[in-house]
Amino acid sequence: MEMRERLSSYAIGPATATFSFEHRLARENRWPPDFAARVISEYKRFCFLAVMAGRQVTPSDAVDQAWHLHLTYSRDYWQRFCPDILGCDLHHGPTAGGKAERSRYYDQYAETLKAYEDTFGESPPLDIWPPAARRFNVDPLAFRVNPADAIVMDRRWLWPSISAAMAMLALAAVLGAYFA
């Protein structure tokens, strides 16, 4: 069986798990389950590229989240996935940081997007594989927030919410003065 077929039929983690890899990925990233399933498919495509491209490739942030989580399933990753599915070890190496590394990964990511198109005959989905400028200029500014500790609001709703709150305060002040 070819690697693409093995990847296609491969399920990460133990089949008997009550809480599947897909559900864990969705929960840990606050993604809808269908998006997590798509990310896993893209992670498998990335792994195929990593083995077949003949050069280093760089994942999108979403794909990297799937890879990080898969690495925590260490027995599955090292004893089943790498030898039986990929046929080789696939190591995850962090950046050493700095401008030169940033530039290298930026270029490498752009080349990965091109290799994706060449290999799969289609553009990668933008919601999972954003352009390099977003991946390396906007996305690194993100950080994880525990919603039990903070209120998280979409920036697009910030000003309308503030405006509505101010209007309500003004109305309360007018009504308070009127009925006083």
Side-chain angles (χ1 to χ4, degrees), residues 3-178:
M3 184 186 355
R4 282 177 90 165
E5 293 173 31
R6 291 190 308 266
L7 278 165
S8 177
S9 62
Y10 171 72
I12 299 172
T16 58
T18 302
F19 197 59
S20 70
F21 179 84
E22 180 180 318
H23 288 104
R24 187 175 304 275
L25 184 66
R27 183 194 67 187
E28 291 185 8
N29 289 281
R30 298 183 54 81
W31 294 336
D34 62 322
F35 183 78
R38 291 179 52 235
V39 168
I40 292 168
S41 293
E42 293 301 317
Y43 166 62
K44 291 176 181 182
R45 283 186 160 196
F46 167 77
C47 292
F48 182 83
L49 284 175
V51 173
M52 302 304 290
R55 61 181 181 272
Q56 290 188 338
V57 292
T58 298
S60 68
D61 183 64
V63 168
D64 201 35
Q65 295 307 313
W67 196 3
H68 287 190
L69 184 59
H70 193 187
L71 285 164
T72 67
Y73 288 63
S74 60
R75 285 181 186 85
D76 180 83
Y77 188 85
W78 291 112
Q79 295 173 5
R80 195 171 74 119
F81 182 66
C82 287
D84 298 342
I85 306 301
L86 300 181
C88 65
D89 288 348
L90 180 58
H91 292 277
H92 187 299
T95 179
K99 286 184 181 182
E101 283 282 281
R102 185 176 180 276
S103 179
R104 178 173 78 93
Y105 280 103
Y106 185 100
D107 293 343
Q108 198 169 283
Y109 181 74
E111 291 172 12
T112 301
L113 297 178
K114 176 74 172 101
Y116 184 108
E117 288 185 21
D118 293 344
T119 302
F120 301 114
E122 62 187 16
S123 297
L126 286 173
D127 60 338
I128 297 174
W129 294 91
R134 176 167 178 96
R135 168 74 169 93
F136 289 96
N137 295 327
V138 176
D139 292 347
L141 301 176
F143 60 94
R144 303 214 183 274
V145 175
N146 186 334
D149 298 333
I151 297 172
V152 180
M153 178 180 271
D154 188 322
R155 182 180 296 255
R156 295 171 292 191
W157 291 94
L158 179 63
W159 291 116
S161 297
I162 290 173
S163 297
M166 290 177 68
M168 289 176 70
L169 286 173
L171 180 61
V174 168
L175 291 175
Y178 179 75

